[in-house]
Amino acid sequence: MIYLDHNATTPISPEVLEAMMPYLTAEWGNPSSSYKFGSKLKGVVEVAREQVTELIGAHGGEVIFTSCATESNNAAIHAALMATGKRQIITSAVEHSSVLNYCKALEGNHGLHGLHGSNFTTEAQRTQSSQIGCHSERSEESQSCRVTYLPVDRDGLLKLADLENAITDETAVVSLMWANNETGVLFPVKEIAEICRACGVLFHCDAVQAAGKVELDVRRVPADYLSITGHKLGAPKGIGALYVRRKAPFVPLIHGGHQEKNHRGGTESVPLIVGLGKACELAKKKLPDYDKMVRPLRDALEEGILSSIPNTELNGHKTQRLANTTNITFHGIESEALLILLDQEGICASSGSACLADSDEPSHVVKAMKPDSTKSRQMIRFSLDESSHDAEVREALNALRRSSKALCS
Ligand code: PLP
């Protein structure tokens, strides 16, 4: 198998599995238990939290473990809306579905009311809401959110002036990604964070695809909330984290027990948390070499395709992009047909986000960049990592030449 789909998910690294094993076998206690067999695991969770904290340059106590980045993204936006009582969200047309579809749900007839049901509001929530000035008596209409989707240009970049113009007194949160999962395009997150700060608006950053590929430092990029997930980093699926700046407000999305200092109910999955912590530690160590190892291979694949396969076009900015990702339109060839032929040759790639892989519509990312693009999906995303090598790129190129020729004739 030649795996060129690391933006979809990554294999669990052997060191991560090794670190997790004791907590999948002998150490199966509940960290909330009062006896030592369980309670000693609290310390294990804190070590992992420290490892995540280190990867993103945060302070202790600013990281909450979640089940995935979809939850982290929902939780951050939810917290900002609940805490500020404001109802405008600013995002971009090219975000991941975990942001876009949450925003769409909030825009619907019932907004937060419908999603979280005022009838079911707990006493604790009511107290918290009134403390932070978010009135549960607000009419249904006023609970509904207004979402501004910032456009991008043909290279997938947004204009900072559009962000500045979109911010109003009603803006609860700006949610913009660090790196795009389909094209790898990097948003100017430092400038975005500074604009938000200057305007007194909360900033959430989906850093899922940037983690382990570029330096994430919340001191340099002062986001209020930042999401990551384990399975893009060599940890298992089902574990994510949300950074919440110490002074940023937080209202939980998931209510339950007192875990995570009352910020996220649910018994901690110690093995997964340990796995994420270890993956973050490894990612930090490998980061200085990541670009050097991955970029030449990605460039060889990209240049090989663009120079030898007719009617191909790069999607995404040439340089302001992750080192591992290339997204290419094969004009006149349906992505699905090409992916089937590649799969027959043992090559794994995708036509965009794995979460929307069953759609034959053009990707919302490419559509936002190139509104004139054709009605069907004709693009393929290839995403490499440090384990990729020359021979794989050569084989993938040969397979692509054969397959595209077969589909054109
Ligand atoms: N955000 C981005 C940019 C992603 O690429 C993904 C996963 O594809 C997610 C969020 C969702 O992550 P998870 O699968 O952990 O919910």
Side-chain angles (χ1 to χ4, degrees):
M1 177 175 81
I2 298 179
Y3 187 76
L4 300 175
D5 204 16
H6 289 88
N7 287 11
T9 198
T10 56
I12 301 176
S13 79
E15 296 97 320
V16 167
L17 186 62
E18 194 187 324
M20 290 171 61
M21 278 316 274
Y23 307 99
L24 287 164
T25 51
E27 302 288 356
W28 44 264
N30 185 332
S32 299
S33 297
S34 53
Y35 43 84
K36 275 205 213 78
F37 177 65
S39 64
K40 68 181 176 194
L41 298 176
K42 277 199 183 107
V44 173
V45 169
E46 290 320 307
V47 170
R49 201 185 310 281
E50 196 47 42
Q51 289 164 320
V52 178
T53 299
E54 291 250 316
L55 178 68
I56 62 174
H59 294 292
E62 291 182 313
V63 167
I64 301 169
F65 289 112
T66 63
S67 64
C68 59
T70 298
E71 182 191 328
S72 301
N73 287 346
N74 280 226
I77 294 170
H78 169 266
L81 290 167
M82 294 294 279
T84 61
K86 297 181 177 182
R87 290 293 171 262
Q88 186 201 8
I89 304 165
I90 300 176
T91 186
S92 82
V94 296
E95 298 299 307
H96 186 262
S97 53
S98 55
V99 167
L100 287 180
N101 286 340
Y102 188 51
C103 286
K104 292 217 170 89
L106 290 165
E107 263 181 320
N109 288 338
H110 301 296
L112 268 181
H113 228 63
L115 280 182
H116 303 294
S118 64
N119 293 344
F120 303 108
T121 314
T122 63
E123 196 51 48
Q125 268 177 307
R126 263 193 297 278
T127 317
Q128 205 155 17
S129 295
S130 57
Q131 276 167 357
I132 54 173
C134 179
H135 307 297
S136 52
E137 311 83 48
R138 275 172 170 247
S139 70
E140 258 185 40
E141 203 184 336
S142 67
Q143 292 284 326
S144 179
C145 296
R146 185 164 76 81
V147 185
T148 307
Y149 300 94
L150 299 178
V152 294
D153 64 17
R154 290 188 76 79
D155 285 334
L157 295 172
L158 49 77
K159 286 200 197 77
L160 292 174
D162 287 345
L163 169 62
E164 282 166 327
N165 292 336
I167 293 175
T168 69
D169 290 345
E170 258 305 290
T171 308
V173 63
V174 169
S175 179
L176 292 168
M177 65 207 320
W178 197 304
N180 188 276
N181 48 304
E182 295 197 16
T183 59
V185 169
L186 294 160
F187 276 167
V189 281
K190 183 170 184 295
E191 289 79 359
I192 291 169
E194 281 162 2
I195 290 171
C196 291
R197 196 157 262 211
C199 296
V201 169
L202 294 164
F203 172 41
H204 163 246
C205 185
D206 173 348
V208 162
Q209 295 292 346
K213 298 173 188 152
V214 294
E215 195 190 356
L216 296 186
D217 186 347
V218 293
R219 289 161 299 200
R220 195 180 66 80
V221 176
D224 296 288
Y225 310 100
L226 182 134
S227 308
I228 65 165
T229 192
H231 73 103
K232 316 280 181 182
L233 267 180
K237 293 148 194 67
I239 182 71
L242 177 65
Y243 159 79
V244 181
R245 183 174 293 281
R246 212 175 270 166
K247 291 196 178 137
F250 193 75
V251 179
L253 177 65
I254 299 204
H255 295 267
H258 298 301
Q259 294 91 354
E260 297 296 278
K261 299 207 177 98
N262 291 319
H263 286 143
R264 200 259 182 194
T267 304
E268 301 89 340
S269 173
V270 178
L272 294 181
I273 288 173
V274 167
L276 176 60
K278 187 70 185 175
C280 287
E281 183 194 285
L282 294 172
K284 192 170 166 67
K285 275 196 202 135
K286 288 196 275 186
L287 193 58
D289 295 324
Y290 181 84
D291 215 280
K292 289 198 275 286
M293 291 177 75
V294 180
R295 188 180 294 276
L297 290 175
R298 189 279 311 269
D299 287 350
L301 178 64
E302 183 172 296
E303 280 153 25
I305 296 171
L306 295 174
S307 64
S308 66
I309 303 180
N311 301 321
T312 48
E313 177 188 348
L314 177 67
N315 297 312
H317 194 271
K318 182 95 183 95
T319 55
Q320 203 169 317
R321 197 162 38 121
L322 291 173
N324 80 319
T325 310
T326 183
N327 183 313
I328 292 178
T329 295
F330 293 76
H331 289 286
I333 298 178
E334 301 288 318
S335 316
E336 209 185 317
L338 186 49
L339 288 173
I340 290 171
L341 293 189
L342 291 178
D343 191 21
Q344 285 167 1
E345 302 219 25
I347 296 167
C348 307
S350 63
S351 63
S353 169
C355 304
L356 304 172
D358 52 357
S359 163
D360 56 5
E361 290 273 294
S363 120
H364 70 282
V365 176
V366 174
K367 236 193 313 193
M369 291 161 60
K370 300 174 178 172
D372 50 327
S373 59
T374 52
K375 288 201 170 61
S376 58
R377 243 171 222 250
Q378 303 195 342
M379 35 70 71
I380 309 273
R381 172 189 70 185
F382 304 92
S383 46
L384 290 67
D385 88 344
E386 314 97 305
S387 66
S388 310
H389 50 82
D390 289 343
E392 288 184 328
V393 167
R394 272 198 308 276
E395 266 190 60
L397 265 173
N398 287 336
L400 274 164
R401 287 185 193 118
R402 277 194 297 276
S403 306
S404 53
K405 209 166 176 182
L407 292 168
C408 276
S409 53

